[in-house]
Amino acid sequence: MSYKVARASEYLAITGGGIKDIKLAKKSWVFPWQSCTVFDVSPVNYTFEVQAMSSEKLPFVIPAVFTIGPRVDDPHALLLYAMLMSQHDKHSNHVNELVQGVIEGETRVLVASMTMEEVFKGTKEFKKEVFEKVQLELNQFGLVIYNANVKQLVDVPGHEYFSYLGQKTQMEAANQAKIDVAEAKMKGEVGAKERTGLTIQNAAKIDAESKIIATQRLGEGTKEEIKVKTEVQVFQNQKEAIVAQADAALAIQKAALTKDSRVAEVEAGKAVAMREAELQTQVEKMNALTRTEKLKAEFLSKATVEYETKVQEANWELYDKQKKAEAVLYEKQKQAEATKAAADASFYAKQRDADGLVAMATAQGTYIKTLVDAVNNDYSAMRDFLMINDILHISTDIAKTNAVAIRDLQPKISVWNQGGGAGGVDQGMGSGGMKDIAGLYKMLPPVLDTVYEQTGMQPPAWIGTLRGAETR
């Protein structure tokens, strides 16, 4: 079993089991019990020289080119082509002879019923007739004529009909040309005279029409002028009416303003009189009040002075108490603010100490992590390094303490060094960093003894597990 796919200009013709007759497809599965043939449907050009004879028994040659191919737009025609022609090559002698036989047979039959003159002059109709007759015969093979081109008809040797006919046509054309020249010359002379007469007539006609048009234009100009003057007069009348309306409105407004002005003057006079009466009344009232106040001052002055004095004294005492209370309150507020400031300062200090502890813990964690990374995660090496570092710090602190207390105390002073010479630590240890490390290990026992004697602190238990620590 295989899957066949035809190209753009091809079809698949499949026969066999499961197919009634022939199956045409562009792509399909082909089973072992089926047969598949690929055939091309592109058109092919066929060139022929058909030997024909007219109804006057005059032989001639018809060169023709036909473009013929399968009819792909008709499934029945394509099926006929697949059945009858697909097994042959389109360029094979079989297909060529078949097409040539159909074309020559139909062409000869058609030409035998036509005269040479009809064939020669009716080339277009002749081509159409040949096309239709040949197509009828090709339909039974599923073929179609895409294009048919009939070339110039050719004489058979010994029968030069077309050449003589051409000469005749050429002579007739030459004679006709001479006649046409003479007629053209005559028409030219007659035409010149006619043109001259027409020119004079047209000039007179144009002059008359020009005068008529000038008169019409003059009348139209007069009409337009009158129309414009009328429109101007109407516009002026309208303007004058508008001005008159404006003057009337202005006069009305002036009268109204004059009326309002006079009314305002009268009202102003009356208002002045009323205001004067009111002021006079107020003056009289003020005089009466002045006299009353004078009497009050005479009879009540002493009592009033005593009352006001006592009131002033009471107010002063109250003011003094208020000021003292405000001073006490101010002191309390100051104390509360100071207490709050102290609490804030204490809180800030504690917070800063806590931040310092956190930062120190973070730094120590980073320090320990860096040491672990530096010794490749060897915790024993890190422990030794920390121990040595702590011992050095303890030694420094002890030295400082001894230096301070040396004037008042008599401590035990122990002196040690790293040693040297041939039998010392340098044997077998080389030089450089290893020598220093060896001296440091040798120094540890006396240092630990001194620490115990002066502080009572025992070294860690794991120090005893160092091999040979006492002997180095």
Side-chain angles (χ1 to χ4, degrees):
M1 183 176 64
S2 61
Y3 189 73
K4 299 288 185 179
V5 178
R7 291 182 294 181
S9 61
E10 295 177 345
Y11 270 88
L12 303 177
I14 306 173
T15 59
I19 299 174
K20 184 177 181 181
D21 191 1
I22 297 177
K23 176 184 176 182
L24 299 180
K26 296 292 288 185
K27 53 186 177 179
S28 178
W29 286 100
V30 180
F31 298 97
W33 55 85
Q34 294 177 346
S35 175
C36 178
T37 302
V38 181
F39 63 94
D40 193 358
V41 295
S42 58
V44 179
N45 291 329
Y46 296 95
T47 303
F48 307 104
E49 290 187 354
V50 181
Q51 301 286 338
M53 184 176 294
S54 66
S55 59
E56 298 96 347
K57 302 298 187 284
L58 295 175
F60 61 93
V61 178
I62 305 176
V65 178
F66 285 80
T67 303
I68 301 175
R71 186 187 293 275
V72 295
D73 57 347
D74 187 352
H76 179 69
L78 191 61
L79 186 62
L80 287 176
Y81 179 82
M83 295 174 60
L84 302 176
M85 306 292 293
S86 62
Q87 68 272 19
H88 301 288
D89 186 7
K90 292 185 295 183
H91 300 281
S92 63
N93 291 332
H94 176 78
V95 177
N96 194 12
E97 290 175 358
L98 174 64
V99 174
Q100 183 176 1
V102 172
I103 294 174
E104 288 183 352
E106 295 299 327
T107 304
R108 289 195 183 100
V109 172
L110 180 60
V111 171
S113 62
M114 300 175 64
T115 63
M116 291 295 290
E117 190 72 18
E118 291 174 348
V119 174
F120 186 75
K121 291 185 177 181
T123 305
K124 185 176 180 180
E125 289 75 12
F126 174 71
K127 175 183 175 181
K128 183 179 179 181
E129 290 290 335
V130 172
F131 186 90
E132 292 176 354
K133 297 293 183 182
V134 173
Q135 184 61 59
L136 288 175
E137 294 297 325
L138 293 178
N139 286 338
Q140 58 185 340
F141 299 102
L143 297 171
V144 62
I145 301 175
Y146 288 95
N147 183 38
N149 185 17
V150 178
K151 299 181 180 180
Q152 184 65 40
L153 303 179
V154 180
D155 288 323
V156 176
H159 301 275
E160 289 78 12
Y161 174 79
F162 292 111
S163 60
Y164 291 145
L165 186 60
Q167 294 176 8
K168 174 185 175 183
T169 304
Q170 185 176 1
M171 293 300 296
E172 289 177 353
N175 293 333
Q176 186 63 38
K178 292 178 180 180
I179 294 171
D180 293 339
V181 170
E183 289 181 353
K185 186 176 181 181
M186 179 188 67
K187 290 180 179 179
E189 293 177 355
V190 173
K193 296 295 182 180
E194 290 179 351
R195 290 293 179 183
T196 302
L198 289 174
T199 302
I200 296 172
Q201 293 176 8
N202 290 332
K205 183 179 179 181
I206 291 171
D207 290 338
E209 292 178 351
S210 298
K211 292 179 180 180
I212 294 171
I213 292 172
T215 303
Q216 291 177 350
R217 292 292 175 84
L218 182 60
E220 291 177 355
T222 304
K223 288 168 61 178
E224 291 294 329
E225 183 178 0
I226 294 171
K227 182 179 179 181
V228 171
K229 289 181 179 180
T230 303
E231 291 178 352
V232 170
Q233 187 62 37
V234 172
F235 180 73
Q236 290 179 352
N237 294 336
Q238 291 177 351
K239 286 293 183 181
E240 291 176 357
I242 293 172
V243 171
Q245 291 178 358
D247 292 340
L250 180 61
I252 293 171
Q253 290 180 358
K254 286 181 177 180
L257 292 174
T258 302
K259 178 183 176 182
D260 294 340
S261 177
R262 291 180 180 179
V263 171
E265 290 177 358
V266 174
E267 290 179 352
K270 291 182 179 181
V272 170
M274 292 174 65
R275 185 59 178 167
E276 288 178 353
E278 290 177 357
L279 291 175
Q280 186 64 33
T281 303
Q282 291 179 1
V283 169
E284 294 295 334
K285 289 181 179 180
M286 291 300 294
N287 291 331
L289 290 173
T290 301
R291 290 193 295 270
T292 303
E293 292 296 328
K294 184 177 180 181
L295 293 174
K296 287 182 179 181
E298 290 177 357
F299 292 103
L300 300 175
S301 58
K302 292 182 179 181
T304 303
V305 169
E306 293 178 358
Y307 173 76
E308 289 180 354
T309 301
K310 291 181 179 181
V311 169
Q312 290 294 331
E313 290 177 356
N315 290 336
W316 172 253
E317 291 178 359
L318 178 61
Y319 178 76
D320 185 52
K321 291 180 179 180
Q322 289 178 348
K323 287 298 181 181
K324 290 180 179 180
E326 290 177 358
V328 172
L329 178 62
Y330 179 75
E331 291 296 330
K332 296 293 184 181
Q333 290 178 348
K334 286 295 184 181
Q335 292 177 1
E337 291 178 357
T339 303
K340 181 180 179 182
D344 292 340
S346 176
F347 175 75
Y348 176 73
K350 291 181 179 180
Q351 185 177 9
R352 186 176 58 186
D353 294 338
D355 294 338
L357 293 175
V358 172
M360 183 181 294
T362 303
Q364 290 178 353
T366 304
Y367 174 67
I368 294 173
K369 183 179 179 181
T370 304
L371 288 178
V372 171
D373 294 337
V375 299
N376 295 326
N377 296 326
D378 189 353
Y379 294 96
S380 299
M382 183 189 71
R383 182 186 60 191
D384 295 341
F385 176 80
L386 293 175
M387 179 195 71
I388 293 169
N389 192 24
D390 291 338
I391 290 173
L392 291 178
H393 284 297
I394 292 172
S395 300
T396 303
D397 294 337
I398 292 173
K400 288 182 180 179
T401 303
N402 291 333
V404 174
I406 195 66
R407 293 174 299 180
D408 300 326
L409 300 175
Q410 293 181 356
K412 293 180 179 181
I413 299 174
S414 300
V415 179
W416 63 86
N417 54 30
Q418 297 179 4
V425 180
D426 295 336
Q427 294 179 356
M429 296 305 294
S431 61
M434 296 302 297
K435 180 180 178 181
D436 295 335
I437 293 173
L440 180 63
Y441 270 83
K442 182 179 180 181
M443 184 179 64
L444 285 176
V447 169
L448 296 175
D449 293 338
T450 301
V451 171
Y452 176 72
E453 291 175 357
Q454 295 188 6
T455 63
M457 294 175 60
Q458 289 288 347
W462 53 266
I463 291 180
T465 60
L466 299 176
R467 293 182 302 170
E470 296 81 1
T471 59
R472 290 183 181 182

